[in-house]
Amino acid sequence: MNGSPIQSAPTLTLYRNGSVYSAADPFATAMLVDGDTVAWVGSEHAATSIQDSRMEVVDLHGALVAPGFVDAHVHTTELGMSLETLDLSGCSSLADLLGRVSSYAKGTAGLILGSGWDESSWPERRVPTAAELDAASGNRPVYLSRTDVHCAVVSGTLAADMQLHEYDGWDNGFVVRAAHEAARTVSRAIDPDQRAAFQQAALRHAASRGIVAVTEMAAPHIAPPEDLRRLLGLDGALPETPLPQVLPYWGQLVETEAEVAGLLDFFEGRLLGLAGDLNIDGSIGARTAALREPYTDEPGGTGTLYLTPEQVGRHLELMTRAGLQGGFHVIGDAGMDVALAGLQLAADAVGEAAIRAAHHRLEHAEMTDDAAIAGLLRFGVGVSLQPGFDAAWGNPGGLYEQRLGERSRQMNRMASLLSSGVPVALGSDTPVLAVDPWAGVRAAVFHSNPKERVSARAAFIGHTRAGWRAAGESNFMLGQLAPGAPASFAVWEVQELMVQTPDANVSAWSTDPRAGTPLLPALDTGDEPRCLQTVHNGIELYRASDLAG
């Protein structure tokens, strides 16, 4: 599953009669692929001149060829599980959720697993109780993860079996912190073959969305380390078909060099770093993100800090010395304070230049003020953002406003981070959000705060080239289509191409064809791009049945 060649496309493939997103030729309509490399991009007239009998010719019929997407934050097994279990993302009310549980229970046996619910938009504005889940399920064990996956609701049957009322974070069926971790661990006790099936289903799904690589954010509180070993094929079980490349991180805190060495050995040197969902704090939805000031809808509540600056600093020091990336999940402003204090401690230990050279990363960074942005820039830290969070929760009256009041206007500051020079890569945090990279691009362009909107081009780069850079990829040609670049791309059926900026009065010059800005799909027409083919390093990962050629 790591992108190694399994089967190759024909040696020479000429794509023509479409549009090619390429800075090398912004007006290109054709592209020649030679094995695993882009050999040429150019005009239709030139394509006619070079076409010969050795080539497979794909008539694009106006389709767009663009660099393949990289999702900068993925939970692969969890995504596969969400595709195969009870989907609650569309629930419109508490009654709707309970009804779906009841219907699902009639056709299944054993533990009921579900995910994706979000009570912030329900008329009841509350979660189900353990007793209500017992009644809906017929007294079956039930575990339903909230959309942010940092909390869940469980049935009384499951709670009694596990004695969850004795754990910190138990509240009449609603579980956070220790109670949630215990319930989640039991709910994820599945056999290795089933894990592999979930993983392959997830990666096939990603490929069908034009994704050539996923940044896996595994962690011991999410799944055992064997889960990541299986995902990487380190257990000898390789998939029969090619799948997107996995860029692996393991979110485990270390305090000694021996611990680092042990983990690197266990994962056979494949880890990019000990980073990802190594939690400094929790989530806004669960009210466990650590805040400087209390939650608007929970007076006195300021969330939860799971790590100290000293722990953060020691971890980053060890990662820097090992030549690996370190990083953390951080959402609240108080959580960001801990991250920055830890960076300073690590810099005191190994030197600021060494910290900058390590290119450590933070996940989410939803509440980042100007001082924090300056600190991230100073220490050379990149940020993995999920612009879809704003689309889901940043609307007036939405989750952010309910939890944070006026502070909600300063969430997910993509434009501020980019304009300051902080590296930003985009992802979905799936299964928190659906795997839909164009939706992520659109969310960045139409951010709820006009000051934080960016151009479609900037967001597209954040979801392609920047994803490779964030993972430390040394081949700077990845994420673009130009002669000599890896043949990693997707073909899209589109209705309209344009240069889309966040404001018609900003960078209007770039809409002029003479500016030579490559075109992307119009994202405000309601016509979603449809993936026709996904190719990574010359290997076809996905092909729609109606792709010509």
Side-chain angles (χ1 to χ4, degrees):
M1 295 186 188
N2 62 1
S4 299
I6 298 176
Q7 62 186 42
S8 298
T11 302
L12 290 169
T13 304
L14 179 63
Y15 295 82
R16 58 180 303 182
N17 190 29
S19 181
V20 179
Y21 185 91
S22 173
D25 184 350
F27 307 107
T29 62
M31 179 176 76
L32 179 65
V33 175
D34 185 354
D36 61 359
T37 304
V38 176
W40 169 86
V41 296
S43 68
E44 200 61 28
H45 177 74
T48 300
S49 300
I50 67 172
Q51 181 177 329
D52 62 35
S53 60
R54 298 172 300 158
M55 301 173 185
E56 176 188 359
V57 179
V58 177
D59 187 339
L60 293 169
H61 295 289
L64 170 68
V65 181
F69 284 107
V70 178
D71 194 316
H73 192 116
V74 167
H75 301 287
T76 305
T77 306
E78 293 285 313
L79 169 59
M81 189 178 294
S82 73
L83 295 171
E84 302 290 333
T85 55
L86 179 57
D87 179 9
L88 300 171
S89 60
C91 285
S92 59
S93 66
L94 172 60
D96 185 10
L97 179 142
L98 294 172
R100 295 191 191 199
V101 170
S102 179
S103 297
Y104 189 80
K106 294 174 183 177
T108 62
L111 174 65
I112 295 175
L113 294 174
S115 62
W117 57 271
D118 179 1
E119 86 290 356
S120 68
S121 62
W122 297 349
E124 301 92 346
R125 292 280 177 89
R126 72 169 179 87
V127 303
T129 65
E132 287 172 330
L133 288 175
D134 282 335
S137 66
N139 293 312
R140 295 259 296 280
V142 179
Y143 172 92
L144 307 177
S145 176
R146 194 181 186 279
T147 184
D148 58 23
V149 303
H150 282 264
C151 57
V153 288
V154 300
S155 63
T157 300
L158 180 64
D161 288 344
M162 299 184 60
Q163 297 295 301
L164 289 177
H165 64 278
E166 297 182 359
Y167 288 82
D168 171 53
W170 164 260
D171 183 10
N172 194 23
F174 180 66
V175 289
V176 296
R177 298 187 297 276
H180 178 236
E181 186 170 341
R184 180 174 182 160
T185 298
V186 170
S187 74
R188 268 47 181 170
I190 52 180
D191 68 74
D193 289 341
Q194 182 60 70
R195 284 187 182 279
F198 285 148
Q199 291 170 350
Q200 293 185 40
L203 291 173
R204 286 194 297 269
H205 181 71
S208 73
R209 269 48 178 182
I211 292 172
V212 297
V214 298
T215 309
E216 169 62 25
M217 294 302 181
H221 66 276
I222 297 173
E226 290 76 17
D227 183 87
L228 182 55
R229 284 181 56 87
R230 172 60 65 100
L231 183 62
L232 296 173
L234 297 177
D235 57 358
L238 294 172
E240 297 179 357
T241 58
L243 295 167
Q245 183 173 345
V246 175
L247 305 171
Y249 290 87
W250 179 246
Q252 181 170 334
L253 188 73
V254 289
E255 296 180 342
T256 67
E257 293 178 353
E259 289 177 314
V260 176
L263 287 171
L264 295 182
D265 181 65
F266 183 81
F267 290 108
E268 299 183 18
R270 291 285 301 281
L271 292 179
L272 297 175
L274 298 178
D277 276 344
L278 177 47
N279 294 347
I280 288 178
D281 65 350
S283 72
I284 300 294
R287 299 186 187 87
T288 50
L291 307 183
R292 296 170 185 161
E293 301 295 332
Y295 283 90
T296 301
D297 59 354
E298 187 181 72
T302 56
T304 305
L305 284 171
Y306 299 113
L307 298 175
T308 66
E310 290 74 21
Q311 289 174 307
V312 170
R314 178 59 175 164
H315 183 86
L316 293 174
E317 175 194 343
L318 290 167
M319 287 296 93
T320 304
R321 295 187 189 280
L324 295 170
Q325 286 179 296
F328 300 88
H329 159 116
V330 56
I331 287 181
D333 47 11
M336 182 60 72
D337 291 341
V338 169
L340 291 168
L343 281 160
Q344 182 61 64
L345 290 172
D348 292 342
V350 298
E352 196 169 297
I355 294 295
R356 285 196 297 271
H359 302 296
H360 299 307
R361 58 185 292 160
L362 294 179
E363 308 303 312
H364 315 311
E366 292 187 60
M367 298 180 72
T368 309
D369 60 21
D370 290 346
I373 291 174
L376 296 175
L377 185 63
R378 172 189 168 195
F379 292 117
V381 176
V383 171
S384 166
L385 284 183
Q386 291 67 49
F389 286 1
D390 178 77
W393 305 315
N395 54 298
L399 174 71
Y400 287 155
E401 188 173 289
Q402 293 173 33
R403 299 283 194 271
L404 303 170
E406 287 299 316
R407 290 169 291 178
S408 64
R409 299 291 291 169
Q410 296 300 314
M411 301 290 288
N412 302 298
R413 300 181 64 198
M414 184 170 179
S416 295
L417 286 159
L418 283 174
S419 63
S420 298
V422 174
V424 174
L426 303 186
S428 65
D429 197 10
T430 186
V432 174
L433 298 174
V435 180
D436 187 349
W438 287 118
V441 173
R442 181 171 57 248
V445 174
F446 299 106
H447 194 288
S448 63
N449 182 352
K451 293 181 179 179
E452 297 301 335
R453 294 173 181 172
V454 300
S455 69
R457 180 169 180 262
F460 181 74
I461 291 172
H463 225 323
T464 52
R465 194 186 314 169
W468 292 113
R469 302 292 85 76
E473 171 57 50
S474 59
N475 186 347
F476 279 82
M477 295 296 285
L478 267 170
Q480 53 187 314
L481 297 179
S488 295
F489 58 90
V491 179
W492 299 91
E493 179 182 77
V494 294
Q495 300 302 314
E496 181 182 355
L497 294 170
M498 65 181 295
V499 173
Q500 195 148 14
T501 60
D503 188 321
N505 297 316
V506 176
S507 302
W509 60 269
S510 66
T511 62
D512 189 322
R514 292 172 296 180
T517 302
L519 302 178
L520 287 169
L523 299 173
D524 56 356
T525 65
D527 294 316
E528 296 296 316
R530 181 172 71 94
C531 186
L532 299 174
Q533 186 185 37
T534 306
V535 175
H536 183 42
N537 290 329
I539 303 166
E540 185 176 84
L541 308 182
Y542 169 78
R543 187 183 187 96
S545 59
D546 57 339
L547 177 67

